[in-house]
Amino acid sequence: MQSGNFDQVPAEIINELIDKKILVDQSVDELADVLAENRDAIANEDKLYLVIQPTANCSLGCGYCGQAHNNTLMSESAQDGLIQFAASRIRPHHKYIAISWFGGEPLMGIKAMRKISSRLRKLAQEKNLGYVSSVVTNGLSLNNNMVEELITEHLAYKIEVTLDGTEEMHDQRRHLKTGEKTFSKIYNNLKNIVENYSDKILLSIRCNVDDRNLNNVPELIDLLHRDGILPKVMIYFAPVHSWGNDAHKHIESKKYWSQKQIEWFISLNEKNIKIDLLPQRKKNLCVAVDDNGTLIDPYGGVYKCTEVTLTPTYNNKNGKNIHKLGDVTIDPSDIDYASNQFGGFNEVDVIQNFPCAQCSLLPLCGGMCPKEWVEGRIPCPPIRYNIKERMLLSYAWNQSNFDVVEDEAKATCS
Ligand code: SF4
Ligand code: SF4
């Protein structure tokens, strides 16, 4: 085929390659096509996506966190502005409103969540839209009452909890601000959810991995297997990245990290856990480039990135966050989207400023994190270093290549 002798290749193979867009006509501008598809997917996205931080509080003091916490709860006026903002962002192509509760620790803001959920659900009903939510939580307060409330009142379909290893390792990394341990409480909560709620809500376990806990991952996998948790959760491993700080410097080699990931996949497969080995086409990167997505912080600030709020590194000398685009407590309709530093990714940056335009993985990773590129780091995902091994494993394990979802590629943010 590389010599152009297509007539010597069986027609069914050629057709399959054309169908999968592996073989394309020389005249096609693939980069332009890929970016046009991305823009088209965003223009037709069926959900209005809001990431909401109901509080600036969190009891954990994780070493890699770049946020500064305090006990601010989203005020009534910010809640009012948030609802007006949400209403103003609904477009004819939206079919539902999707909320991601984010923090700080969002469940410390449960009082605000209750009021906001009820009003957003009402808004969705009035506009004839569906409504779902998900929660990214440290897992400390996931008792029965809380889980039931999340399911029934907040219409949560997914809870995501971070475990950074087995007890000793996790407690070194994800302890309270006062230094106390958290693993056993979180782990018992997870066990309870798996035992009593796994038919009602999806539980996702994220493991943030750098050089310090890399070798503990197999022990975590074994523990989750022994306790019967593994088959009932989604689990994924994310390389620790900068959160306006130096956290990324604890990964010496992404190539090594990615080889380790293959070992974890093999361990999971030995335990009959299906792994999302092959990435799918990724058209809508993240809220930074998605016109349908926005983050509202506990003060009513409007942002287009989940990793810049509550993060003092991004404050200018007057204390104003340089990524803040507006304030719903002042005017929910006056949002300066043009000053979103990460917004031109599919239009300009990917073509002019970053190497993704020459990279064959662009359709799969979407270019990863615009913020990482803008800040001068290279955000390439593990597939850049282990896609060949993944393809071999996928073939060896007889996986269907095109019906799996790559969660890890979505997991750029914390
Ligand atoms: S992927 Fe990067 S730019 Fe997008 S929301 Fe996450 S941190 Fe921000
Ligand atoms: S693998 Fe890296 S260079 Fe390639 S498209 Fe993704 S982010 Fe860009």
Side-chain angles (χ1 to χ4, degrees):
M1 277 193 292
Q2 283 177 339
S3 313
N5 299 327
F6 297 109
D7 53 347
Q8 293 174 25
V9 182
E12 68 193 66
I13 294 181
I14 295 282
N15 290 338
E16 177 83 2
L17 293 174
I18 290 173
D19 184 49
K20 298 287 187 283
K21 297 186 180 171
I22 293 166
L23 194 58
V24 293
D25 196 280
Q26 264 181 338
S27 63
V28 171
D29 183 344
E30 284 191 85
L31 176 63
D33 279 4
V34 164
L35 296 177
E37 279 178 18
N38 292 356
R39 287 192 287 267
D40 194 49
I42 291 168
N44 292 299
E45 176 63 64
D46 64 358
K47 69 173 184 281
L48 172 66
Y49 179 58
L50 299 176
V51 182
I52 303 176
Q53 295 180 301
T55 175
N57 213 348
C58 180
S59 50
L60 261 58
C62 310
Y64 47 74
C65 180
Q67 292 184 339
H69 301 126
N70 62 57
N71 61 6
T72 300
L73 188 69
M74 189 181 272
S75 66
E76 297 282 340
S77 70
Q79 292 176 34
D80 291 345
L82 163 60
I83 304 300
Q84 283 178 49
F85 175 79
S88 74
R89 298 297 296 166
I90 295 171
R91 298 288 177 267
H93 52 88
H94 290 151
K95 293 196 169 60
Y96 62 103
I97 298 176
I99 304 300
S100 172
W101 297 105
F102 190 62
E105 166 50 41
L107 300 182
M108 291 179 85
I110 191 72
K111 285 184 183 156
M113 277 177 65
R114 285 181 187 130
K115 291 181 182 168
I116 300 166
S117 279
S118 147
R119 293 176 72 182
L120 283 174
R121 284 178 64 184
K122 189 159 168 272
L123 174 69
Q125 205 171 24
E126 284 165 7
K127 302 288 180 185
N128 213 13
L129 297 172
Y131 183 89
V132 286
S133 78
S134 58
V135 189
V136 180
T137 166
N138 61 33
L140 275 175
S141 48
L142 287 174
N143 57 26
N144 281 348
N145 287 344
M146 182 62 86
V147 177
E148 275 166 29
E149 177 178 333
L150 288 173
I151 296 169
T152 56
E153 280 187 42
H154 304 280
L155 303 192
Y157 78 96
K158 184 171 99 169
I159 300 175
E160 176 169 305
V161 177
T162 300
L163 276 185
D164 270 4
T166 51
E167 184 158 11
E168 197 180 338
M169 181 57 70
H170 175 94
D171 284 337
Q172 277 174 30
R173 294 165 65 84
R174 295 184 62 84
H175 45 76
L176 295 184
K177 286 195 170 55
T178 49
E180 288 158 63
K181 299 173 179 183
T182 61
F183 181 88
S184 83
K185 187 160 189 198
I186 296 169
Y187 198 69
N188 286 333
N189 286 342
L190 296 186
K191 278 208 266 195
N192 181 45
I193 295 172
V194 163
E195 273 165 31
N196 298 307
Y197 297 100
S198 57
D199 56 336
K200 297 191 181 75
I201 196 155
L202 185 63
L203 182 59
S204 170
I205 296 180
R206 174 184 173 119
C207 185
N208 292 323
V209 185
D210 59 25
D211 294 346
R212 297 168 295 187
N213 63 339
L214 194 82
N215 291 326
N216 183 254
V217 172
E219 281 176 48
L220 176 65
I221 293 173
D222 286 346
L223 178 70
L224 295 168
H225 177 58
R226 264 200 314 276
D227 288 340
I229 293 176
L230 262 189
K232 295 189 170 180
V233 298
M234 282 171 59
I235 181 165
Y236 70 96
F237 311 98
V240 172
H241 59 91
S242 166
W243 200 335
N245 56 18
D246 285 343
H248 58 290
K249 293 190 174 162
H250 290 289
I251 293 182
E252 203 176 299
S253 158
K254 270 206 185 169
K255 200 168 174 187
Y256 182 67
W257 194 108
S258 305
Q259 291 310 315
K260 283 284 172 190
Q261 190 187 43
I262 295 294
E263 292 175 22
W264 307 329
F265 287 163
I266 292 170
S267 169
L268 287 166
N269 184 64
E270 284 166 358
K271 296 166 179 65
N272 289 323
I273 303 301
K274 187 173 179 230
I275 304 127
D276 296 340
L277 281 169
L278 298 184
Q280 283 193 325
R281 179 77 174 84
K282 186 172 184 168
K283 297 177 182 171
N284 194 350
L285 195 53
C286 69
V287 288
V289 301
D290 179 5
D291 294 337
N292 311 279
T294 315
L295 180 142
I296 314 290
D297 82 356
Y299 308 96
V302 177
Y303 294 83
K304 288 292 286 176
C305 173
T306 59
E307 308 292 286
V308 294
T309 55
L310 311 180
T311 306
T313 314
Y314 296 114
N315 289 350
N316 64 19
K317 60 180 188 316
N318 301 319
K320 183 184 178 292
N321 190 306
I322 56 171
H323 295 292
K324 186 172 165 183
L325 307 179
D327 191 328
V328 297
T329 63
I330 299 169
D331 185 349
S333 63
D334 183 21
I335 311 299
D336 183 14
Y337 290 106
S339 64
N340 170 17
Q341 291 183 32
F342 314 131
F345 198 71
N346 286 328
E347 284 73 29
V348 182
D349 291 334
V350 80
I351 302 163
Q352 291 177 10
N353 300 331
F354 306 131
C356 303
Q358 283 82 45
C359 178
S360 58
L361 291 173
L362 178 65
L364 301 177
C365 82
M368 287 306 274
C369 171
K371 171 172 158 300
E372 288 286 283
W373 284 116
V374 168
E375 293 181 355
R377 292 177 296 275
I378 296 173
C380 301
I383 54 168
R384 169 150 182 203
Y385 310 99
N386 63 22
I387 188 70
K388 287 182 185 169
E389 288 86 347
R390 285 172 179 232
M391 289 170 73
L392 284 169
L393 287 178
S394 174
Y395 180 72
W397 295 343
N398 199 20
Q399 279 194 350
S400 162
N401 291 8
F402 299 99
D403 68 353
V404 289
V405 177
E406 165 78 333
D407 196 64
E408 159 221 302
K410 279 185 259 159
T412 355
C413 319
S414 299

